[in-house]
């Protein structure tokens, strides 16, 4: 019997019921394990494996639709592992030039190792023109922070025909919003700091693949560079999965309500949300996504207008990152590195009441018009 998303989220990775034991065993804090005889077994040393990691990895694999998951200490640890464990000097990597800025920052490191990097925008499947001779094609869809979308199946088919692997950063959508392995990707990568864990209180990332050789390469990378998660963070992440579908449903509903309210507002330009009818990405996103994510982006007339808007928000906090149960917003250009206007706002919708969230934003926009 096929279960729905909430049922799978609640049950994923949890052990079979056993008398007098908790539904989710507590975190295992261990640098080493009792080990006699040969150095073999599921748990030998704390940098190799941990029962708390195993349960979360099995849970995420269930949500990703199968495969082997490796969890990491942060999203960028997962991104770095997926890239650097699979390429070598002389290889070529194709990347989106509008993806997360720290992912783009890996270009310098890759090139210092003798890896060639080609870059093209996410929109319009522009990376297809660059796949010939590539070892790895990296996608991020929807892109962060611009929210452009590419056709994963189409790009993956072109990449595979050229002999390349395909990795998709699925942070914004999560596996309940988009099953990238089912769409042809070889690796699903995410910063679980964001929506997957959803409370803004831990750093975590994962890589999932259905190819045993790729899984082993990624797992060996984690062991050798030591990019391991703490057991407490891992346990908290697993606990948080139980509400994933509930959180995503509320967040996406709030994001659509906000985007709808902002459409046509005289102070707002460049409004983007893939779930909004009329958005340039809506048609494609509707074909490959089941949920459109919590992030809405838009531009205010100036840096000062954006700062006034952010300062006037009361329900919404001013912070970076996205995917938390608490709504947050930021003027993205303050970090540098993204090709966005000074007044560009990345807005992450939480689980507050939609009416309260929209009212807070509209009042803050009134304050932003003041001289």
């Amino acid at each position: 019997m096929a279960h729905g998303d909430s049922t799978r989220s609640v049950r994923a990775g949890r052990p079979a019921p056993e008398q007098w034991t908790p539904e989710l065993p507590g975190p295992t804090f261990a640098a080493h394990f009792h080990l006699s005889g040969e150095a073999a077994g599921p748990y030998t040393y704390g940098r190799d494996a941990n029962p708390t990691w195993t349960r979360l990895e099995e849970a995420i694999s269930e949500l990703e639709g199968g495969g082997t998951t490796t969890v990491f200490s942060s999203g960028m640890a997962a991104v770095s592992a997926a890239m650097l464990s699979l390429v070598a000097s002389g290889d070529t990597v194709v990347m989106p030039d509008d993806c997360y800025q720290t992912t783009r920052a890996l270009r310098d490191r890759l090139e210092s190792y003798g890896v060639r990097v080609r870059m093209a925008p996410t929109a319009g499947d522009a990376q297809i023109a660059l796949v010939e001779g590539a070892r790895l094609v990296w996608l991020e869809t929807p892109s962060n922070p611009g929210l452009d979308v590419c056709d994963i199946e189409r790009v993956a088919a072109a990449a595979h025909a050229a002999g390349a692997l395909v990795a998709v950063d699925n942070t914004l959508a999560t596996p309940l919003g988009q099953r990238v392995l089912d769409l042809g990707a070889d690796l699903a990568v995410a910063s679980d700091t964001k929506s997957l864990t959803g409370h803004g209180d831990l750093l975590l990332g994962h890589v999932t693949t259905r190819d045993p050789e790729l899984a082993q390469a990624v797992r060996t990378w984690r062991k050798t560079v030591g990019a391991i998660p703490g057991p407490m963070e891992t346990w908290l992440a697993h606990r948080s999965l139980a509400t994933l579908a509930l959180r995503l449903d509320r967040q996406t509903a709030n994001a659509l309500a906000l985007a709808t309210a902002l459409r046509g507002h005289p102070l707002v330009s460049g409004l983007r949300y893939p779930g909004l009818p009329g958005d340039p990405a809506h048609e494609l996103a509707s074909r490959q996504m089941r949920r459109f994510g919590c992030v809405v982006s838009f531009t205010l007339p100036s840096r000062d207008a954006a700062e006034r808007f952010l300062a006037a928000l009361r329900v919404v906090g001013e912070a970076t990152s996205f995917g938390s149960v608490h709504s947050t917003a930021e003027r993205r250009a303050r970090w540098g590195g993204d090709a966005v206007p000074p007044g560009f706002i990345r807005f992450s919708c939480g689980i507050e009441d939609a009416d309260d969230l929209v009212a807070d934003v509209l009042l803050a926009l009134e304050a932003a018009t003041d001289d």
Side-chain angles (χ1 to χ4, degrees):
M1 176 179 176
H3 291 137
D5 284 347
S6 274
T7 304
R8 292 190 303 113
S9 298
V10 167
R11 297 174 60 87
R14 299 196 175 218
E18 184 178 338
Q19 189 79 335
W20 306 306
T21 62
E23 287 188 351
L24 180 62
T28 298
F29 298 99
H32 56 262
F33 302 85
H34 290 294
L35 181 66
S36 60
E38 297 300 319
Y43 305 109
T44 58
Y45 185 63
R47 194 179 65 251
D48 297 343
N50 178 293
T52 311
W53 304 353
T54 299
R55 283 188 287 269
L56 178 62
E57 289 169 344
E58 290 175 348
I60 294 175
S61 292
E62 289 181 42
L63 300 182
E64 290 281 12
T68 299
T69 294
T70 304
V71 293
F72 289 86
S73 52
S74 70
M76 279 310 303
V79 168
S80 299
M83 280 197 192
L84 298 174
S85 69
L86 301 178
V87 300
S89 180
D91 287 341
T92 296
V93 173
V94 178
M95 295 173 60
D97 61 14
D98 53 348
C99 66
Y100 177 51
Q101 60 172 302
T102 312
T103 302
R104 278 184 280 116
L106 279 174
R107 177 177 185 168
D108 291 343
R109 181 61 56 196
L110 288 165
E111 290 178 338
S112 76
Y113 293 155
V115 176
R116 293 181 292 270
V117 178
R118 304 171 186 162
M119 305 187 84
T122 296
D125 304 339
Q127 290 167 270
I128 287 179
L130 306 179
V131 300
E132 194 63 38
R135 164 65 175 166
L136 176 67
V137 176
W138 188 272
L139 307 179
E140 182 181 284
T141 177
S143 61
N144 172 28
L147 302 181
D148 277 321
V149 170
C150 68
D151 187 328
I152 297 172
E153 281 190 304
R154 180 168 179 256
V155 178
H160 289 155
L165 297 168
V166 177
V168 178
D169 185 333
N170 199 34
T171 298
L172 197 146
T174 81
L176 294 193
Q178 188 168 249
R179 284 277 193 86
V180 301
L181 298 179
D182 290 347
L183 293 170
D186 299 291
L187 302 105
V189 186
S191 170
D192 302 325
T193 306
K194 314 295 196 299
S195 297
L196 196 76
T197 57
H199 290 77
D201 55 5
L202 57 87
L203 298 177
L204 207 73
H206 81 267
V207 178
T208 304
T209 178
R210 295 172 184 168
D211 184 316
E213 290 186 8
L214 297 181
Q216 187 57 53
V218 169
R219 190 150 292 201
T220 299
W221 180 269
R222 179 181 67 180
K223 174 182 176 178
T224 54
V225 303
I228 60 173
M232 191 66 196
E233 287 84 355
T234 311
W235 184 86
L236 287 169
H238 198 170
R239 182 204 60 175
S240 297
L241 285 186
T243 60
L244 177 58
L246 290 173
R247 288 187 279 107
L248 291 178
D249 285 342
R250 184 59 170 263
Q251 288 170 313
T252 54
N254 281 353
L256 181 58
L258 177 62
T260 301
L262 292 177
R263 186 166 49 185
H265 193 284
L267 211 63
V268 171
S269 63
L271 175 66
R272 295 299 305 272
Y273 181 61
L276 183 68
D279 183 273
H282 181 68
E283 182 179 352
L284 174 56
S286 297
R287 295 203 304 268
Q288 69 185 19
M289 299 181 73
R290 293 182 294 146
R291 293 175 175 87
F292 299 105
C294 63
V295 177
V296 177
S297 68
F298 55 94
T299 300
L300 299 180
S302 66
R303 170 179 177 159
D304 288 345
E307 295 291 356
R308 288 195 298 269
F309 165 74
L310 294 167
L313 292 167
R314 294 295 176 264
V315 172
V316 179
E318 187 174 356
T320 194
S321 198
F322 58 85
S324 174
V325 291
H326 308 284
S327 290
T328 59
E330 72 168 339
R331 191 179 66 82
R332 190 63 189 162
R334 66 181 178 170
W335 296 99
D338 291 317
V340 296
F344 181 94
I345 301 294
R346 185 179 70 178
F347 197 106
S348 173
C349 293
I351 64 170
E352 299 89 353
D353 290 296
D355 289 346
D356 294 335
L357 186 61
V358 170
D360 191 41
V361 169
L362 294 179
L363 285 172
L365 286 172
E366 289 182 20
T369 63
D370 294 339
D371 294 329

